[in-house]
Amino acid sequence: MKIIAIINHKGGTGKTTSTLNIGAGLARIKKKTLLVDIDPQSNLTEGLGFRDVKVSIYDSIKDDVALPIASVSEYLDIIPSSLDLLGAEIELVSRLGRETILKRLLKSVEGKYDYVLIDCAPALGMLTVNALVAADTVMIPLEAEYFAYRGIDRLISIISDVRTHYNENLTIGGVFITKINPRRVITEQITESIKKYFSDKLFQTSIRVNVALVEAQLKGVDVFEYAPISNAAVDYANLTDEIVEKI
Ligand SMILES: Nc1ncnc2c1ncn2[C@@H]1O[C@H](COP(=O)(O)OP(=O)(O)O)[C@@H](O)[C@H]1O
Ligand SMILES: [Mg+2]
C-alpha cells in the first residue's frame, strides 16, 4: 500500500482535480484506491457527489471514531471531509501526538488498498503535517505559470523537518504541471524552467487545460465517466500510468 499526499500550499494548482482523477484512473486499472479529503473546503468530497456528509474525517480526528469510508465505485473509496475540519487546526494545538493522528487512523486500512491519495488544503498547517507524517511520498501539482515554484522551498523545508522528526522514509515522488495551454507561446519556457528546478522529479505527463474537468466536478463524477475521449481523460490516464511505474 502506497500513501501519496498531493500537496501545494498555493490554492488552485489542481490538487483536488488531480486527486480525484488519478484516483479514478487507478480504479480503472483495478488498483484498489482510497481517497482521503483533509481539506475543510471539501471540494474532493463534493466533486464526487457527496453532499451533507454526516460523519467525516473530522469525527475520526477529533473523537477517534472509525474512519467513515464511503464507496465511490468497485475499486474506489473515499473518506469525506466537512467544514467542521476548519476547527481541527486550532483544536489540534493542545493535543498530544497531534502530528501523528492521521497516520494512526490509517493503520486500520493497512493492506486493504493499493493506493491511498490524500488531498491537502492549500495551507502548511497541522493537517498538512499530518498528511506528510502519514505519507510514503509526496506529489506536487504546479500550475503552468511563471514562478509556479515560488514558495515551494517552504514546502520542501517542512518535508525535510517531517523526515527528521517523524517519517524518515518520506520521499518526493514527483512534480507535475497542470492547466497547461499548449497554444500559449510561453508554455514551453515555463516547462523548461520547472524542469531545470526539479530535474528528474518532473513527471513527463502534463495536464492540459480542459473545461471537461470543471464540468465533471460540477456533475459529481470523474472525467473518465464524464468525457472519456477528452484531452483530460487522456492526460490523467497517462499520469496514472506514470505513477504506477515510478511510485
Ligand atoms: N486542467 C484543468 N483545466 C481546466 N480547469 C482545471 C484544470 N485543473 C483544475 N481546474 C479547475 O481549476 C480550479 C482549481 O482546481 P483544484 O483542483 O480545485 O485546485 P486545488 O485543489 O489545488 O485548490 C477548479 O475549478 C478546477 O475545476
Ligand atoms: Mg483543493
Side-chain angles (χ1 to χ4, degrees), residues 182-213:
R183 281 189 304 258
R184 248 171 105 200
V185 183
I186 59 164
T187 293
E188 208 172 314
Q189 290 169 28
I190 292 171
T191 308
E192 275 312 306
S193 74
I194 292 175
K195 209 184 259 166
K196 250 195 209 138
Y197 193 84
F198 290 101
S199 66
D200 59 341
K201 292 284 181 207
L202 180 66
F203 275 67
Q204 248 161 33
T205 310
S206 296
I207 309 298
R208 286 168 283 185
V209 168
N210 194 316
V211 72
L213 287 164

Side-chain angles (χ1 to χ4, degrees), residues 82-186:
S82 66
L83 204 56
D84 305 331
L85 203 56
L86 266 180
E89 205 67 59
I90 293 162
E91 288 159 16
L92 283 174
V93 170
S94 57
R95 279 266 294 276
L96 212 61
R98 58 184 179 259
E99 292 89 355
T100 53
I101 294 173
L102 186 61
K103 185 183 175 72
R104 267 195 302 108
L105 288 168
L106 286 175
K107 284 237 160 41
S108 66
V109 300
E110 188 68 64
K112 290 191 183 148
Y113 294 94
D114 296 303
Y115 292 92
V116 177
L117 306 179
I118 309 174
D119 182 26
C120 296
L124 292 177
M126 201 40 70
L127 289 169
T128 299
V129 168
N130 263 269
L132 290 172
V133 172
D136 299 303
T137 193
V138 172
M139 286 188 64
I140 307 171
L142 294 176
E143 235 180 309
E145 291 297 338
Y146 270 124
F147 307 115
Y149 46 84
R150 190 180 263 171
I152 289 294
D153 38 340
R154 261 189 74 210
L155 173 57
I156 307 274
S157 115
I158 288 181
I159 291 172
S160 159
D161 287 348
V162 167
R163 242 185 235 133
T164 306
H165 297 288
Y166 297 102
N167 186 1
E168 60 180 344
N169 297 322
L170 181 65
T171 59
I172 297 179
V175 169
F176 59 99
I177 307 177
T178 63
K179 298 183 172 180
I180 215 162
N181 182 349
R183 281 189 304 258
R184 248 171 105 200
V185 183
I186 59 164

Side-chain angles (χ1 to χ4, degrees), residues 6-19 21 39 41 43-44 119-122 141 143 177-180 207-218 232 235-236:
I6 319 281
I7 294 192
N8 188 330
H9 48 298
K10 194 163 175 276
T13 67
K15 289 178 285 300
T16 301
T17 306
S18 299
T19 308
N21 291 296
D39 182 354
Q41 290 181 68
N43 293 337
L44 177 63
D119 182 26
C120 296
E143 235 180 309
I177 307 177
T178 63
K179 298 183 172 180
I180 215 162
I207 309 298
R208 286 168 283 185
V209 168
N210 194 316
V211 72
L213 287 164
V214 185
E215 292 166 359
Q217 259 161 304
L218 289 173
D235 292 346
Y236 274 110

Side-chain angles (χ1 to χ4, degrees), residues 53-64:
V53 168
K54 294 278 179 298
V55 185
S56 78
I57 184 89
Y58 174 71
D59 299 278
S60 303
I61 289 175
K62 183 156 189 282
D63 299 325
D64 222 23

